Amino acid sequence: ALFAEGYSLLIFPEGKRSMDGQLNPFRGGIGMIGARLDVPVIPVGISGLDKVLHQTWKMAKPGPARIRFGPPLRLAGDDYAALAKQVEEAVRLLVQ
């Protein structure tokens, strides 16, 4: 319903941020959502957040962070773990 109304959904497919800023393996939910709803998945690479808003901090501090967007992916099928891996690989290219 939200997509039909023009809304976007932001998902962090790792489940939670890592302590050192490295990517954790993506969970299958991103594959399931993209495939079942037949919506484009935009890979987004975010780097530097562990230095400006570490997982253990209550407040952010000034510093550089980078956000890069990749081309939309169309996910199809029901092997959600494999689809999540496809998204993960696209994001890893963006945070290098």
Side-chain angles (χ1 to χ4, degrees):
L2 291 176
F3 294 115
E5 295 177 23
Y7 286 94
S8 296
L9 178 64
L10 176 63
I11 296 175
F12 292 91
E14 298 170 89
K16 68 177 186 173
R17 291 183 294 158
S18 67
M19 296 295 273
D20 62 2
Q22 298 299 310
L23 285 178
N24 288 320
F26 283 19
R27 298 180 179 197
I30 188 64
M32 181 185 71
I33 291 169
R36 282 193 181 178
L37 297 179
D38 191 30
V39 294
V41 174
I42 310 293
V44 179
I46 304 173
S47 55
L49 285 187
D50 58 310
K51 306 230 181 348
V52 297
L53 182 58
H54 192 270
Q55 185 177 353
T56 60
W57 301 347
K58 294 183 187 222
M59 293 289 294
K61 68 178 187 177
R66 183 175 74 178
I67 300 174
R68 295 177 67 192
F69 297 87
L73 303 173
R74 284 288 184 174
L75 306 178
D78 58 6
D79 185 348
Y80 303 135
L83 295 173
K85 187 70 176 168
Q86 182 181 343
V87 177
E88 180 182 340
E89 290 169 0
V91 170
R92 285 190 185 280
L93 291 174
L94 297 171
V95 296
Q96 291 181 351

